[in-house]
């Protein structure tokens, strides 16, 4: 038996953990640079605030309904997500973290008499320990667990937030209720093709006379999904994988036209890539620089620019990656042009303990000692105060975050103070 545990309106729930006065009130979370609405509480959804809408278009409506607006606080969300997953790991050792707010659990080999009650215990512990509400769906396959989770989320009064698909009757009823666009792995474009073939629900997707069409359009992925919805488990839990590449890209809150300003941004992006490499104990052989001009303010057709360089040795040093990125920037950047976005991507990753040392062209061994000091300080304080000279010493990202909440769990300065007496 599988379970899918999904945190309800996760970003909004994270903000409410430390501001419980917002419980029951409408909340929206904005994307980078406070651009679009990427998360909404149920109350905001009920007021007709659409997902993905530009904030400026609904600014008056947000004020009219007294909707609380937050900038994305990824440090807080990531930390609370890790804590949620740690709690879920107490219920089974077989855990697949599917996204920041979802996880699949497998209970093979475990004796559980009442899955409904087990799901309620998961809900109770997560809510008590973290104040994060979750929905739990149980089923014999991962795809059906997704369906069960949607039912638990949609009908909280009837299911109490925990639902079990443990019979063919429940399976068929759930599939007939599930719209084809809500099926796991069926996006907007695929759903249009499915509806053109009179496949409107998940149940229609499983009918025998649609099998050939599904195989033609979706290939083996569609065949496996159909088996899963029929109750035949073919998708197992996936082991955590090391990333194939790491990308740090950001749009700027304003346009950049000078080399020095762009140099600072690129250096910061490269430094954070190096930090992420070290956190997963990897090194990279390749680094790519990406620049994008403001295509509304240029006359030429080309506004995307890339350059890739292969390092003579594998590295995760902030100094090495930053210097390489700046060297590429000198070739790509044109003074006076208007740039809106930039990024650094590192690839050809290898485990740090498999790094091959070179005889004549090798990195300064002092780099690693310096990186250890920088990482230790960041881990302790949650702030990148030790930086390269080419970085801005005041800010990590130059993004517009006018509604950012404190980093309650990752920055010692933002820890809540409790007054007694």
């Amino acid at each position: 038996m599988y379970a899918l545990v999904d945190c309800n309106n996760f970003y909004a729930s994270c903000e409410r953990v430390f501001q419980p006065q917002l419980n029951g009130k409408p909340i929206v979370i904005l994307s980078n640079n406070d651009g679009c609405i990427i998360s909404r509480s149920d109350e905001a959804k009920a007021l007709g605030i659409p997902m993905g809408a530009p904030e400026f278009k609904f600014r008056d409506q947000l004020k009219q309904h007294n909707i609380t607006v937050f900038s994305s606080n990824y440090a807080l969300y990531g930390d609370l997500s890790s804590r949620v997953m740690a709690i879920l790991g107490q219920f089974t050792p077989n855990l697949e973290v599917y996204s920041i707010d979802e996880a699949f659990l497998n209970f093979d080999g475990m004796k559980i008499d009442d899955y409904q009650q087990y799901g309620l215990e998961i809900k109770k512990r997560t809510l008590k320990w973290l104040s994060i509400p979750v929905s739990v769906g149980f089923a014999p396959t991962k795809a059906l667990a997704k369906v069960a989770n949607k039912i638990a989320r949609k009908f909280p009064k009837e299911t109490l937030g925990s639902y079990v698909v443990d019979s063919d009757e429940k399976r068929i009823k759930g599939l007939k209720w599930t719209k084809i666009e809500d099926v796991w792995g069926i996006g907007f474009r695929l759903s249009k093709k499915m509806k053109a073939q009179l496949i409107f629900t998940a149940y229609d997707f499983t009918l025998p006379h649609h099998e050939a069409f599904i195989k033609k359009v979706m290939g083996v992925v569609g065949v496996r999904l159909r088996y899963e919805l029929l109750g035949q488990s073919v998708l197992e839990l996936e082991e955590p994988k090391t990333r194939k590449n790491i990308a740090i890209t950001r749009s700027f809150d304003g346009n950049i036209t000078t080399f020095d300003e762009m140099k600072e941004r690129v250096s910061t992006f490269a430094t954070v890539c190096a930090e992420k490499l070290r956190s997963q104990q990897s090194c990279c052989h390749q680094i790519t620089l990406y620049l994008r001009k403001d295509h509304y303010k240029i006359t030429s057709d080309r506004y995307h620019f890339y350059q890739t360089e292969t390092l003579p040795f594998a590295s995760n040093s902030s100094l090495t990656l930053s210097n390489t990125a700046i060297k590429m920037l000198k070739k790509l950047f044109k003074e006076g042009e208007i740039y809106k976005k930039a990024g650094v991507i590192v690839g050809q990753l290898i485990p740090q303990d498999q790094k091959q040392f070179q005889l004549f062209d090798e990195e300064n061994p002092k780099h690693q000692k310096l990186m250890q000091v920088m990482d230790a300080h960041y881990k302790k304080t949650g702030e990148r105060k030790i930086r390269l000279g080419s970085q801005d010493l005041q800010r990590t990202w130059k993004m517009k975050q006018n509604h950012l909440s404190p980093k309650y769990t990752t920055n010692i300065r933002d820890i809540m103070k409790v007054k007694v007496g």
Side-chain angles (χ1 to χ4, degrees):
M1 185 70 82
Y2 288 90
L4 177 68
V5 180
D6 184 15
C7 300
N8 302 342
N9 305 322
F10 182 58
Y11 290 178
S13 295
C14 288
E15 299 291 354
R16 284 172 167 166
V17 169
F18 298 96
Q19 301 188 60
Q21 72 274 14
L22 295 177
N23 287 333
K25 296 182 179 180
I27 296 174
V28 298
I29 313 297
L30 304 180
S31 62
N32 291 338
N33 287 317
D34 292 346
C36 299
I37 296 168
I38 59 171
S39 180
R40 307 159 294 162
S41 66
D42 288 337
E43 297 79 10
K45 294 175 185 177
L47 292 171
I49 304 299
M51 184 69 166
E55 183 270 342
F56 74 91
K57 288 188 177 181
F58 288 83
R59 193 169 295 162
D60 293 339
Q61 192 172 340
L62 294 173
K63 292 180 179 178
Q64 177 187 348
H65 294 293
N66 198 28
I67 298 174
T68 304
V69 179
F70 288 100
S71 302
S72 296
N73 190 341
Y74 295 118
L76 176 65
Y77 309 152
D79 184 66
L80 290 181
S81 172
S82 298
R83 297 175 188 229
V84 170
M85 300 309 165
I87 292 174
L88 299 182
Q90 298 173 0
F91 290 90
T92 174
N94 304 314
L95 175 73
E96 176 193 334
V97 178
Y98 183 65
S99 68
I100 193 170
D101 61 346
E102 291 179 285
F104 284 106
L105 285 66
N106 181 272
F107 303 98
D108 290 350
M110 298 176 61
K111 188 179 186 321
I112 299 174
D113 297 325
D114 189 337
Y115 281 103
Q116 165 77 7
Q117 192 60 40
Y118 204 64
L120 294 177
E121 181 59 33
I122 293 174
K123 278 181 58 69
K124 179 181 177 181
R125 189 175 302 179
T126 309
L127 190 62
K128 182 177 181 180
W129 290 13
L130 288 179
S131 298
I132 299 288
V134 302
S135 299
V136 188
F138 294 91
T141 72
K142 292 172 73 174
L144 285 174
K146 275 272 191 179
V147 173
N149 183 276
K150 287 184 180 294
I151 294 172
R153 179 79 174 89
K154 184 69 175 179
F155 305 102
K157 292 183 179 179
E158 294 82 355
T159 65
L160 301 178
S162 176
Y163 186 72
V164 186
V165 174
D166 54 2
S167 68
D168 213 41
E169 181 183 357
K170 284 186 176 182
R171 180 185 67 83
I172 292 173
K173 185 177 180 180
L175 294 182
K176 288 183 176 180
W177 171 79
T178 304
K179 298 177 182 178
I180 187 61
E181 58 265 32
D182 293 332
V183 174
W184 186 29
I186 304 291
F188 174 73
R189 292 181 180 178
L190 271 178
S191 66
K192 290 180 66 176
K193 293 181 180 180
M194 296 296 166
K195 289 176 182 178
Q197 294 292 319
L198 304 181
I199 302 175
F200 298 103
T201 67
Y203 179 74
D204 296 335
F205 190 86
T206 64
L207 296 177
H209 60 277
H210 291 310
E211 184 176 1
F213 170 75
I214 292 169
K215 186 175 182 180
K216 178 182 178 182
V217 173
M218 297 181 65
V220 68
V221 174
V223 173
R224 288 175 179 172
L225 177 58
R226 183 173 176 274
Y227 282 147
E228 285 267 319
L229 295 176
L230 287 169
Q232 302 174 39
S233 180
V234 294
L235 300 176
E236 299 181 353
L237 294 187
E238 295 184 3
E239 295 292 329
K241 297 179 180 177
T242 301
R243 301 177 187 179
K244 294 183 178 179
N245 56 61
I246 294 173
I248 302 295
T249 63
R250 292 291 185 275
S251 296
F252 308 128
D253 57 348
N255 293 324
I256 287 182
T257 58
T258 66
F259 177 81
D260 287 341
E261 194 174 6
M262 181 65 81
K263 173 185 173 183
E264 190 281 327
R265 291 293 81 206
V266 168
S267 177
T268 296
F269 298 160
T271 298
V272 178
C273 281
E275 182 183 285
K276 290 182 178 294
L277 282 170
R278 296 193 297 271
S279 69
Q280 70 174 34
Q281 298 183 335
S282 296
C283 293
C284 73
H285 272 291
Q286 190 178 79
I287 178 169
T288 299
L289 174 65
Y290 161 69
L291 300 179
R292 193 187 80 185
K293 294 182 180 179
D294 188 338
H295 60 279
Y296 294 109
K297 298 181 180 180
I298 62 174
T299 55
S300 63
D301 294 333
R302 187 184 178 194
Y303 56 91
H304 290 282
F305 300 87
Y306 292 89
Q307 183 164 338
T308 299
E309 184 158 328
T310 300
L311 301 173
F313 44 77
S315 176
N316 57 18
S317 165
S318 298
L319 289 165
T320 298
L321 298 191
S322 175
N323 290 338
T324 304
I326 291 172
K327 184 173 69 174
M328 290 190 289
L329 180 64
K330 291 178 180 178
K331 299 177 183 178
L332 282 184
F333 189 85
K334 291 185 178 180
E335 197 78 29
E337 295 285 348
I338 301 173
Y339 294 88
K340 192 64 180 176
K341 186 175 183 179
V344 173
I345 306 163
V346 294
Q348 294 187 13
L349 308 189
I350 64 168
Q352 184 174 303
D353 58 6
Q354 295 181 16
K355 176 180 177 180
Q356 296 291 322
F357 291 94
Q358 308 296 320
L359 182 59
F360 299 108
D361 194 1
E362 186 51 72
E363 193 171 66
N364 190 327
K366 293 181 179 179
H367 283 200
Q368 289 306 312
K369 290 291 184 182
L370 178 58
M371 297 304 108
Q372 289 172 13
V373 172
M374 293 174 66
D375 293 340
H377 184 273
Y378 176 57
K379 185 177 181 180
K380 182 178 180 180
T381 65
E383 295 183 333
R384 296 182 176 95
K385 288 297 185 182
I386 305 177
R387 304 183 190 178
L388 306 185
S390 55
Q391 291 182 262
D392 186 335
L393 299 179
Q394 302 301 318
R395 301 179 67 181
T396 301
W397 305 121
K398 290 190 173 180
M399 287 196 303
K400 182 169 67 175
Q401 293 179 304
N402 295 333
H403 312 281
L404 185 64
S405 59
K407 300 173 183 177
Y408 298 102
T409 62
T410 60
N411 190 323
I412 195 167
R413 291 187 177 86
D414 290 340
I415 292 178
M416 297 187 72
K417 298 177 181 178
V418 179
K419 296 181 180 180
V420 180

